[in-house]
Amino acid sequence: MEFGFIMFMSVIIVLVGTFGICYLEPEKFPSLFDGFWWTMTTVTTVGYGDYYPTTILGRLLGIFLFIFGIGIIGVLISKTVDSITTYNKLKTEGMLMYKNKEHYIYIGYSAKTENAIREVLVHNPEAEIVLIDTLPNCPYMHNQVHYIQGDPSEEEILLKANILESKRVAIFADSSITDPILADGKTLLIASAVESLSEQTENEIHTIVEICEESHISKFRHIRVDDFVLSNDSVSLLIAKATLQPGTTQLFRQLLSKRYGNNIHVLKPSSQWSTYRDAHLALFDKGAVLIAINDEMDFKDAKSKKLKSTDTLYIVCSDEIYSTL
């Protein structure tokens, strides 16, 4: 039987039991709640015995609930449990569509993906993340991580993740592919599907990709990918910097992760700041350090360089100071 029909029959039986016993034995069951209480304890086989019918008609109604009510309510409970089990199974297997908005989408699971998810949740405990991969079950179990199973180069899978209403999409290189050309080729295919969907719907999607070879960046720029992360070069450059300047790794860890120090925050310039120098001094006085404006970290012309209202300021400070700013 369909769940809706079982629910309908359950409601009918409970109503018949509640109103029927109050009508047949008004002295024994003076209120509808008393009738409802007796009906529910009967059909769920609890049977406290605090209320019970004493007339023949009342007992016949009780027999009716014994025969039909217990069976229907039992099926309803069984169906409800089955529905919850099925829902959890489908969610774990990545078969359910994601319908919320303002979420982050991570495509491709690896140890790097797991670290990125943890870092985002540390920075923003309320963040919602949708993970897309071809694994049979969700590899990262968390209340705020929703799994979608399927080929991320297919528009159907991307739409299942509600990509058009997401904040950002990050595509990780396939760690199982050792050839950097093939790995970047797969990433390029997925990025092309994302940007194609963006163009078709005229909906701007901010895309971040992990690339194995720097020479491939031009191919990704051609399809309007926004940000690039060089997987191999990043580690090599950090090790080289630590080799030349020992102790700098702790600084980089603080900049990269909130777990090791203050966090990098994004800020729009105040109308009171006219130059880079004004912004730097005002922020410094409040306990924040200005490290970049847009993609520039060179402040040699800070006195004369004008700030625009559209500029993006990157600062390092605690969450408490940032909230005051």
Side-chain angles (χ1 to χ4, degrees):
M1 290 184 289
E2 294 293 332
F3 183 81
F5 175 75
I6 296 173
M7 177 64 76
F8 174 75
M9 290 300 299
S10 299
V11 172
I12 293 296
I13 287 175
V14 170
L15 290 176
V16 169
T18 300
F19 285 95
I21 199 65
C22 289
Y23 175 76
L24 295 174
E25 299 194 16
E27 294 182 358
K28 191 75 174 180
F29 299 89
S31 69
L32 286 176
F33 183 79
D34 293 332
F36 175 73
W37 171 257
W38 172 76
T39 301
M40 293 306 299
T41 56
T42 301
V43 298
T44 57
T45 69
V46 175
Y48 284 113
D50 50 350
Y51 288 94
Y52 54 88
T54 54
T55 65
I56 294 178
L57 290 177
R59 289 176 178 177
L60 287 174
L61 178 60
I63 293 173
F64 169 78
L65 294 178
F66 297 155
I67 297 174
F68 296 101
I70 292 174
I72 290 294
I73 296 298
V75 174
L76 175 65
I77 294 173
S78 175
K79 285 279 188 180
T80 302
V81 173
D82 286 345
S83 298
I84 294 172
T85 303
T86 302
Y87 172 82
N88 288 331
K89 182 175 181 292
L90 292 175
K91 185 177 180 180
T92 302
E93 294 176 352
M95 299 300 175
L96 298 178
M97 181 178 291
Y98 186 81
K99 296 182 179 180
N100 291 338
K101 305 176 182 179
E102 298 295 308
H103 55 288
Y104 302 104
I105 297 179
Y106 282 174
I107 299 177
Y109 183 77
S110 65
K112 289 177 284 189
T113 314
E114 184 174 328
N115 288 333
I117 292 174
R118 286 177 179 170
E119 182 61 29
V120 169
L121 293 176
V122 167
H123 177 69
N124 181 9
E126 303 300 323
E128 295 284 338
I129 297 173
V130 175
L131 175 63
I132 304 178
D133 202 281
T134 56
L135 296 171
N137 292 299
C138 179
Y140 190 91
M141 301 303 295
H142 192 280
N143 290 336
Q144 287 159 247
V145 176
H146 185 93
Y147 181 57
I148 299 290
Q149 182 191 152
D151 183 356
S153 65
E154 295 181 1
E155 290 186 357
E156 178 186 356
I157 299 300
L158 296 175
L159 291 173
K160 201 172 181 180
N162 199 14
I163 193 171
L164 298 179
E165 296 184 283
S166 64
K167 273 188 175 180
R168 293 174 192 87
V169 178
I171 306 172
F172 289 84
D174 192 335
S175 57
S176 65
I177 301 176
T178 55
D179 189 335
I181 296 178
L182 296 178
D184 284 348
K186 180 179 178 179
T187 305
L188 182 62
L189 178 63
I190 297 171
S192 298
V194 173
E195 295 302 329
S196 174
L197 197 58
S198 172
E199 186 176 348
Q200 290 175 26
T201 58
E202 296 182 354
N203 194 331
E204 186 66 28
I205 300 175
H206 189 100
T207 310
I208 308 157
V209 297
E210 178 191 2
I211 302 174
C212 298
E213 293 288 341
E214 186 176 4
S215 59
H216 297 159
I217 289 181
S218 59
K219 283 76 175 176
F220 287 88
R221 280 185 175 150
H222 180 70
I223 59 170
R224 298 179 303 162
V225 169
D226 299 284
D227 290 321
F228 309 93
V229 177
L230 292 169
S231 56
N232 297 330
D233 285 358
S234 300
V235 176
S236 302
L237 292 173
L238 288 173
I239 291 177
K241 182 64 71 174
T243 304
L244 296 170
Q245 297 172 330
T248 54
T249 53
Q250 183 61 24
L251 297 176
F252 293 127
R253 293 178 79 190
Q254 289 187 45
L255 289 174
L256 291 173
S257 175
K258 183 181 178 181
R259 289 175 286 180
Y260 305 110
N262 291 331
N263 197 32
I264 296 179
H265 296 281
V266 178
L267 194 69
K268 285 297 180 183
S270 168
S271 58
Q272 299 175 352
W273 307 336
S274 58
T275 64
Y276 282 23
R277 181 178 182 274
D278 295 339
H280 170 73
L281 293 176
L283 290 168
F284 184 79
D285 289 340
K286 294 179 180 180
V289 178
L290 178 63
I291 60 172
I293 297 178
N294 300 325
D295 57 353
E296 297 181 31
M297 300 182 70
D298 186 0
F299 295 99
K300 63 181 180 181
D301 298 325
K303 288 184 178 181
S304 58
K305 205 157 189 179
K306 297 294 183 181
L307 270 176
K308 300 176 184 176
S309 59
T310 55
D311 286 339
T312 300
L313 281 61
Y314 296 92
I315 62 174
V316 176
C317 65
S318 65
D319 292 342
E320 292 77 13
I321 292 176
Y322 178 68
S323 64
T324 63
L325 294 173

